């Protein structure tokens, strides 16, 4: 009993444990609200219309990741490092990240506006042209909230991040349901826009408050920092582009060669995969922030790395087993139109295990500055996924199913986790053998 009390006291005094708790609790509750809203919206729209909504929504997430130019991760690393060594640079980094995000998001939004009809025609879903145009507005808000999340993670403001995510989830739940009832897919998308705007506003208030409180208002040469951030972010942005092309491209291929209903099944399955991964995903910014501050202390760096690998694995296996056991009950909530959803959820759930380990390994590579190698490894994985999906679906359209795409993801992410681990072991050996 004394041992347990001692361990609890150590955890209560640990800043890593406190930040991890707020990241998990706040963002976890926000994700529960997001999942609940999604299930209710899916039941209201049914499979085909939910497929349209899922196609547009997932397009937002994939393109927003690239449109931030990788600043969700880069801003965390730069700010965490500056707080430790060059506090006067923090405000300049925040402004530089905001400017880059604004320009990049505007460019992507204009491209969506111009080519929405051509994109909808290519996937043989002309009814999506208008939703794709509306997506441009949502994309700007999502890009800003992504960069703001990276900035707040660099500040280690994980409590505020958690509260803001809960607020965004509440807005999504309250606004989306009546709008979906009255306006269908457009109402669901409008609810998504409102939740992202609420998150941007809340994050912006916290960032301004922290900057003023820490006396970080001094601005240095902005152009120099924009160049430095872009130089570091470029391979990260290419990784996000590769991820976008892979995942979004796979969904486009399903829509083109199968039906929009298969996209609905896949979208529902990925949401439950996100539940398995919600703790590892939320802890990734915590891990990157702490590992970036310990690059000069190899012992502490490795200790946190292996600790977080263990935490991620445990936190993924428990919900993984729960979802496998309850998948029959889960699919019943979606309604009779979601035939075949149970097996898709069960298969996709297996991809979550290697992904949870990959998230820690990727954070370690970014913290150590191996962003180009991370880009190469991720690109190989994404090219394999898209290549296999295209060859299978184009030659055998009857195989263009959400189930087969889930199986391909399980294999690809397992190989990716192994390759990342092997490379990090090589880097660690090389570092330990090099003269100090």
């Amino acid at each position: 009993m004394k041992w347990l009390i001692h361990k609890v006291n150590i955890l209560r005094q640990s800043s890593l444990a406190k930040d991890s708790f707020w990241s998990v609790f706040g963002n976890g509750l926000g994700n529960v609200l997001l999942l609940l809203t999604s299930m209710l919206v899916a039941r209201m729209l049914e499979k085909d219309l939910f497929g349209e909504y899922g196609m547009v929504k997932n397009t937002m997430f994939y393109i927003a990741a690239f449109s931030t130019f990788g600043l969700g991760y880069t801003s965390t690393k730069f700010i965490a490092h500056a707080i430790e060594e060059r506090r006067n640079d923090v405000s300049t980094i925040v402004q530089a990240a905001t400017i880059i995000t604004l320009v990049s998001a505007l460019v992507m939004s204009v491209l969506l506006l111009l080519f929405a009809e051509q994109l909808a025609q290519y996937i043989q879903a002309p009814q999506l042209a208008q939703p794709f145009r509306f997506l441009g507005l949502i994309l700007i808000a999502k890009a800003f909230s992504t960069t703001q999340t990276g900035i707040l993670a660099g500040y280690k403001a994980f409590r505020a991040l958690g509260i803001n995510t809960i607020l965004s989830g509440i807005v999504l739940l309250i606004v989306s349901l009546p709008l979906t009832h009255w306006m269908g897919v457009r109402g669901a998308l409008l609810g998504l826009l409102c939740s992202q705007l609420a998150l941007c506003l809340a994050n912006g208030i916290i960032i301004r408050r922290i900057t003023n409180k820490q006396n970080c208002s001094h601005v240095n040469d902005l152009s120099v920092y924009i160049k430095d951030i872009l130089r570091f972010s470029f391979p990260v942005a290419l990784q996000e582009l590769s991820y976008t092309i892979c995942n979004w491209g796979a969904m486009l291929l399903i829509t083109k060669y199968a039906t929009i209903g298969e996209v609905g099944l896949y979208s529902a399955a990925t949401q439950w995969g996100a539940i398995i991964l919600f703790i590892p995903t939320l802890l990734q910014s915590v891990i990157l922030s702490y590992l970036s501050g310990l690059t000069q202390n190899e012992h502490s760096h490795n200790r946190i790395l292996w600790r977080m690998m263990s935490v991620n694995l445990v936190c993924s296996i428990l919900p993984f087993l729960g979802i496998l056991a309850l998948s029959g009950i889960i699919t019943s909530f979606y309604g009779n139109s979601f035939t075949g959803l149970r097996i898709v959820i069960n298969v996709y759930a297996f991809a979550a295990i290697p992904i949870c380990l990959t998230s820690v390994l990727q954070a370690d590579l970014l913290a150590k500055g191996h962003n180009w190698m991370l880009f190469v490894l991720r690109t190989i994985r994404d090219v394999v996924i898209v290549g296999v999906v295209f060859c299978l679906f184009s030659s055998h359209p009857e195989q263009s199913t959400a189930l087969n795409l889930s199986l391909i993801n399980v294999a690809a992410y397992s190989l990716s986790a192994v390759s990342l681990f092997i490379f990090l072991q090589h880097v660690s050996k090389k570092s330990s053998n090099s003269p100090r």
Side-chain angles (χ1 to χ4, degrees):
M1 189 66 181
K2 289 182 179 180
W3 175 84
L4 180 61
I5 295 174
H6 175 67
K7 289 294 183 182
V8 170
N9 288 332
I10 291 176
L11 288 175
R12 291 177 63 183
Q13 296 171 7
S14 168
S15 58
L16 176 60
K18 291 178 182 177
D19 290 339
S20 299
F21 167 78
W22 277 108
S23 184
V24 170
F25 171 74
N27 288 282
L29 184 54
N31 274 277
V32 169
L33 292 170
L34 178 64
L35 178 63
L36 175 61
T37 304
S38 180
M39 291 177 66
L40 294 173
V41 167
R43 194 173 182 88
M44 294 168 70
L45 295 177
E46 296 191 343
K47 186 173 75 171
D48 288 345
L49 286 178
F50 184 70
E52 294 182 12
Y53 171 70
M55 184 69 208
V56 177
K57 178 183 173 184
N58 289 329
T59 298
M60 176 199 72
F61 282 112
Y62 295 144
I63 297 181
F66 170 67
S67 65
T68 60
F69 216 77
L71 290 177
Y73 298 115
T74 302
S75 55
T76 298
K77 175 178 173 57
F78 270 67
I79 290 175
H81 185 71
I83 287 175
E84 295 294 329
E85 298 188 7
R86 304 186 308 274
R87 185 172 292 269
N88 287 337
D89 296 345
V90 172
S91 182
T92 311
I93 294 171
V94 170
Q95 291 193 29
T98 303
I99 291 171
I100 295 170
T101 300
L102 175 61
V103 173
S104 182
L106 284 174
V107 170
M108 295 302 298
S109 297
V110 170
L111 290 175
L112 264 177
L113 181 64
L114 293 176
F115 296 103
E117 188 169 347
Q118 290 88 336
L119 177 60
Q121 292 292 342
Y122 173 76
I123 62 175
Q124 300 175 7
Q127 72 274 19
L128 290 180
Q130 194 62 33
F132 277 141
R133 292 191 183 98
F134 183 70
L135 176 62
L137 293 175
I138 308 177
L139 179 62
I140 295 174
K142 176 61 179 175
F144 266 103
S145 67
T146 301
T147 296
Q148 288 172 330
T149 298
I151 291 170
L152 289 172
Y155 278 132
K156 294 184 173 64
F158 296 103
R159 182 175 182 270
L161 267 176
I163 293 173
N164 291 351
T165 304
I166 294 173
L167 172 64
S168 175
I170 292 173
V171 171
L172 181 65
L173 179 64
I174 293 174
V175 175
S176 289
L177 298 184
L179 288 178
T180 302
H181 176 72
W182 294 327
M183 302 171 61
V185 173
R186 292 184 181 180
L189 293 174
L190 187 57
L192 193 60
L193 174 61
C194 291
S195 71
Q196 288 300 316
L197 289 174
L199 183 58
C200 284
L201 179 62
N203 283 344
I205 292 171
I206 299 299
I207 289 172
R208 180 176 291 273
R209 185 180 300 168
I210 293 175
T211 302
N212 293 335
K213 184 179 179 181
Q214 294 190 357
N215 296 319
C216 299
S217 58
H218 177 71
V219 178
N220 296 314
D221 190 343
L222 194 59
S223 62
V224 172
Y225 280 87
I226 290 177
K227 291 177 182 178
D228 288 343
I229 290 174
L230 286 175
R231 190 180 300 113
F232 183 88
S233 269
F234 186 64
V236 181
L238 290 177
Q239 294 167 33
E240 299 299 345
L241 176 61
S242 174
Y243 176 79
T244 297
I245 293 173
C246 168
N247 290 274
W248 188 45
M251 295 191 70
L252 289 177
L253 290 171
I254 286 183
T255 307
K256 182 175 178 63
Y257 292 109
T259 66
I260 196 72
E262 288 294 323
V263 177
L265 293 178
Y266 186 73
S267 297
T270 56
Q271 288 169 349
W272 287 98
I275 290 298
I276 298 174
L277 291 168
F278 91 88
I279 292 180
T281 300
L282 300 173
L283 289 181
Q284 190 166 16
S285 57
V286 179
I287 296 167
L288 178 58
S289 181
Y290 276 83
L291 290 179
S292 297
L294 292 172
T295 52
Q296 303 302 318
N297 189 332
E298 186 176 351
H299 175 73
S300 298
H301 182 101
N302 290 335
R303 178 168 51 84
I304 288 182
L305 175 66
W306 285 104
R307 180 183 299 173
M308 297 313 296
M309 287 270 284
S310 302
V311 168
N312 270 18
L313 188 59
V314 171
C315 291
S316 297
I317 286 178
L318 294 178
F320 165 77
L321 295 175
I323 287 174
L324 287 185
L326 301 174
S327 59
I329 298 174
I330 290 170
T331 53
S332 67
F333 284 102
Y334 283 86
N336 296 328
S337 64
F338 282 79
T339 306
L341 177 58
R342 181 177 183 179
I343 184 65
V344 179
I345 288 178
N346 288 340
V347 170
Y348 191 84
F350 278 92
I353 302 304
I355 291 175
C356 83
L357 300 175
T358 298
S359 66
V360 182
L361 300 174
Q362 289 177 348
D364 192 28
L365 282 173
L366 287 173
K368 292 177 177 177
H370 296 293
N371 36 358
W372 278 109
M373 180 52 67
L374 179 58
F375 163 66
V376 170
L377 294 174
R378 285 186 58 173
T379 300
I380 292 173
R381 178 199 69 198
D382 295 340
V383 168
V384 168
I385 291 176
V386 173
V388 172
V389 169
F390 177 76
C391 292
L392 177 63
F393 289 6
S394 61
S395 59
H396 303 283
E398 71 280 2
Q399 300 295 324
S400 306
T401 64
L403 176 59
N404 283 335
L405 180 56
S406 299
L407 287 168
I408 293 169
N409 272 277
V410 172
Y413 278 102
S414 298
L415 292 174
S416 176
V418 172
S419 62
L420 282 170
F421 180 78
I422 291 174
F423 177 75
L424 276 172
Q425 289 294 103
H426 171 73
V427 169
S428 180
K429 276 186 180 179
K430 189 176 179 180
S431 176
S432 61
N433 292 333
S434 62
R436 299 184 181 274

